[in-house]
Amino acid sequence: MQRITITPSQIHGNHIALTAEQHHYLTRVIRLQHGAQFQAIDGTGKLYLAEIIAEISQQISTRTAQIIQTITTLNRELSQPITLICALPKGNNFDDLVRACTELGVTTIFPAISDRTLLNPSPQKLQRWRKIAQEAAEQSERLVVPTIEEAQALKAIFDQLPTPTYKYLCEARGEHPHLLTSLQSTRLTDMSIIIAIGPEGGWTDAEIEMAIEHGFQLVSLGTRILRTITAPIVALSIITAAIENSEL
Amino acid sequence: MQRITITPSQIHGNHIALTAEQHHYLTRVIRLQHGAQFQAIDGTGKLYLAEIIAEISQQISTRTAQIIQTITTLNRELSQPITLICALPKGNNFDDLVRACTELGVTTIFPAISDRTLLNPSPQKLQRWRKIAQEAAEQSERLVVPTIEEAQALKAIFDQLPTPTYKYLCEARGEHPHLLTSLQSTRLTDMSIIIAIGPEGGWTDAEIEMAIEHGFQLVSLGTRILRTITAPIVALSIITAAIENSEL
């Protein structure tokens, strides 16, 4: 069944006020008729089964859909939020990264401007990443659309992180404990997890110092050399597996 | 330092017989001079530090490099081989998959023609994937270049798998134990691990039956819906993390 993403403010009682774009898509592009059903997620965890109301109805706004059912049974979300801080890679790879990390269950992504990445992405890029996160959430049947924050300097990101959290900084060169080992020696129940992945060439010593001051544990993703584009997917794979195993 | 991939048959005592292409690359493209050093991996686990010999030397073949040192200390390889059986995805995504899985330490990849993928890739595709595996092994400083087998029907692949092995088939829809749980309840020491990832739409019931007959355990990669392109990366991330943790 077709699925669209709405905002919670579009819900009015048992109706959804569709935007012009959504209404056009549902009735003109995929040509749903009066009474045809579709799904809507509000990005905060609620999934609605809704029905198209034909435009001939004069009683209510012509861009309104009727909510048939609010579904919350099929919850693919993890029990705790995961925040990814990721140094912006060279090139346009961040698109793929946002898509894969959304599939994997990330809650928030902070694109980080680190000492070794001078790239400051355009506002268009941010809009694009948010669109990709929304599409990927729809495709992977998630109920939560990850928040993509504006690209910021690492220090600014560190200063706004929620507490208490488990904070991990991946660092390839050192002799650090493996992320899985660190996670499995922790009681993974109630706190959110923050994972930071460096740029090509790794974090600078100053960045590592700053992370330690902000309560980050240094961890390794294994002995292999991973590209900046692969490392976040590996880290999130390990985190989600560790969380789902701790729930057993 | 520049790194090239050679075959073991190019080693003659303490010399490397370079191919015309390798010699051209080293002396013309990147312009290494007499005495300049480079690294060569033979794809089976050996790394050589070698030195260019100027063409004016008449004593030995003009396309020969001198081996200075055979290095085996920096071993990024896992303690046991990992074989990935992966149903061919739609589109050209298999390139990215070969690249990421090589980084992650895979030893052998079997592109599988499953009931739900009718694609039979051209010989050019296979050559391309082998080239990507070689490049990715060089970039990620691996000593082993993964073997990319020819695309085959699932049954043909199952019939040629080595034994004894741990065999896992990922299946999204069922209520199967998590891959990490299965791995961590196993003594991960001496046997190779085989992981099979299905196509868009999943394995057919007949394929699942056949896998069970061939000794595969059904496992899950978590409750989220993953694309065919993401699932193998997630599975390999979990396997490598589990192996490296069992070695502690």
Side-chain angles (χ1 to χ4, degrees):
Chain A
M1 188 178 297
Q2 189 61 43
R3 178 178 286 206
I4 64 167
T5 303
I6 60 172
T7 61
S9 65
Q10 290 180 256
I11 302 291
H12 302 285
N14 62 347
H15 288 89
I16 300 170
L18 298 169
T19 66
E21 192 187 356
Q22 288 163 349
H23 188 261
H24 176 82
Y25 176 75
L26 291 170
T27 62
R28 302 292 174 204
V29 180
I30 64 166
R31 297 182 176 279
L32 295 186
Q33 306 287 326
H34 176 80
Q37 294 186 349
F38 65 95
Q39 292 181 345
I41 55 171
D42 73 353
T44 69
K46 287 205 185 107
L47 167 67
Y48 300 95
L49 180 65
E51 198 174 274
I52 295 287
I53 300 172
E55 293 186 30
I56 43 168
S57 165
Q58 296 301 317
Q59 293 167 298
I60 47 168
S61 156
T62 54
R63 292 208 313 256
T64 298
Q66 169 91 38
I67 295 172
I68 309 290
Q69 196 185 350
T70 305
I71 304 165
T72 46
T73 47
L74 192 68
N75 187 7
R76 301 192 186 278
E77 296 301 324
L78 293 160
S79 56
Q80 61 226 88
I82 304 173
T83 297
L84 170 69
I85 300 170
C86 187
L88 283 163
K90 288 170 196 154
N92 283 317
N93 291 330
F94 212 70
D95 289 12
D96 291 337
L97 205 146
V98 169
R99 191 173 284 111
C101 292
T102 300
E103 271 175 77
L104 276 162
V106 78
T107 322
T108 307
I109 299 178
F110 282 97
I113 298 167
S114 71
D115 293 349
R116 293 200 174 117
T117 46
L118 298 173
L119 252 171
N120 203 341
S122 63
Q124 288 74 26
K125 278 273 170 72
L126 182 63
Q127 288 312 311
R128 182 176 163 77
W129 297 332
R130 287 178 173 161
K131 181 100 179 145
I132 289 170
Q134 183 181 312
E135 286 168 1
E138 287 170 13
Q139 277 168 18
S140 57
E141 301 181 10
R142 285 190 63 184
L143 302 181
V144 172
V145 177
T147 304
I148 316 292
E149 301 282 352
E150 278 183 50
Q152 293 162 73
L154 201 59
K155 175 144 191 3
I157 296 171
F158 283 175
D159 286 343
Q160 65 189 282
L161 293 176
T163 52
T165 48
Y166 297 113
K167 298 175 186 171
Y168 301 99
L169 184 98
C170 297
E171 215 269 306
R173 291 162 299 171
E175 287 281 323
H176 307 301
H178 195 287
L179 173 61
L180 181 60
T181 316
S182 295
L183 289 167
Q184 290 191 329
S185 62
T186 305
R187 216 174 123 259
L188 287 176
T189 43
D190 40 5
M191 298 213 296
S192 76
I193 295 173
I194 298 174
I195 180 97
I197 309 279
E200 286 93 347
W203 302 109
T204 61
D205 289 345
E207 287 171 332
I208 292 171
E209 279 300 309
M210 184 169 66
I212 293 169
E213 276 166 30
H214 280 81
F216 278 80
Q217 290 178 50
L218 302 190
V219 290
S220 147
L221 293 178
T223 50
R224 283 154 306 287
I225 306 280
L226 301 172
R227 285 175 300 157
T228 318
I229 184 75
T230 312
I233 305 174
V234 173
L236 284 171
S237 300
I238 293 168
I239 293 170
T240 56
I243 292 176
E244 292 195 318
N245 273 267
S246 75
E247 288 168 354
L248 295 175
Chain B
M1 187 177 298
Q2 189 60 43
R3 179 178 285 205
I4 64 166
T5 303
I6 60 172
T7 61
S9 65
Q10 289 179 258
I11 302 291
H12 302 285
N14 60 349
H15 288 89
I16 300 169
L18 298 169
T19 66
E21 192 187 356
Q22 288 162 349
H23 187 262
H24 176 82
Y25 176 74
L26 291 170
T27 63
R28 302 291 175 205
V29 179
I30 63 166
R31 297 182 175 279
L32 295 187
Q33 307 286 323
H34 175 80
Q37 295 187 348
F38 64 96
Q39 292 181 344
I41 55 170
D42 74 353
T44 70
K46 287 206 184 103
L47 167 67
Y48 299 96
L49 180 65
E51 197 173 274
I52 294 288
I53 299 170
E55 292 187 31
I56 44 168
S57 164
Q58 294 302 316
Q59 291 167 300
I60 48 166
S61 157
T62 55
R63 292 208 313 256
T64 298
Q66 170 90 39
I67 295 172
I68 310 288
Q69 197 186 347
T70 305
I71 304 164
T72 46
T73 47
L74 191 69
N75 187 6
R76 302 194 187 275
E77 295 302 325
L78 293 160
S79 57
Q80 60 226 88
I82 305 174
T83 297
L84 170 69
I85 300 169
C86 186
L88 284 163
K90 288 171 197 154
N92 283 317
N93 291 331
F94 212 70
D95 290 13
D96 292 336
L97 203 148
V98 169
R99 191 172 285 112
C101 292
T102 300
E103 272 175 77
L104 277 164
V106 78
T107 323
T108 307
I109 299 178
F110 282 97
I113 298 166
S114 71
D115 292 350
R116 292 200 175 117
T117 47
L118 297 172
L119 251 170
N120 203 341
S122 64
Q124 288 74 27
K125 279 272 171 71
L126 182 63
Q127 289 311 311
R128 182 176 164 78
W129 297 332
R130 287 178 174 162
K131 181 100 179 144
I132 288 171
Q134 184 183 311
E135 287 168 359
E138 288 170 14
Q139 279 168 18
S140 58
E141 300 181 11
R142 285 189 63 184
L143 303 180
V144 171
V145 177
T147 305
I148 317 292
E149 301 282 352
E150 280 182 48
Q152 292 161 74
L154 201 59
K155 174 140 190 9
I157 296 171
F158 283 175
D159 287 342
Q160 64 189 282
L161 293 176
T163 50
T165 48
Y166 297 113
K167 297 175 186 171
Y168 301 100
L169 185 99
C170 296
E171 216 267 307
R173 290 162 300 171
E175 287 281 323
H176 307 303
H178 195 287
L179 174 60
L180 181 60
T181 316
S182 294
L183 289 167
Q184 290 191 330
S185 63
T186 305
R187 213 174 126 259
L188 286 176
T189 45
D190 41 4
M191 298 212 296
S192 75
I193 295 172
I194 298 173
I195 181 97
I197 310 279
E200 285 95 349
W203 302 108
T204 61
D205 289 345
E207 287 171 332
I208 292 171
E209 279 299 309
M210 185 170 66
I212 293 169
E213 276 167 29
H214 280 81
F216 279 80
Q217 289 178 49
L218 301 190
V219 290
S220 147
L221 295 177
T223 49
R224 281 156 306 288
I225 305 282
L226 301 172
R227 284 175 302 156
T228 318
I229 185 74
T230 312
I233 305 174
V234 174
L236 284 171
S237 300
I238 293 168
I239 293 170
T240 57
I243 291 176
E244 291 195 319
N245 273 267
S246 74
E247 288 169 353
L248 294 175

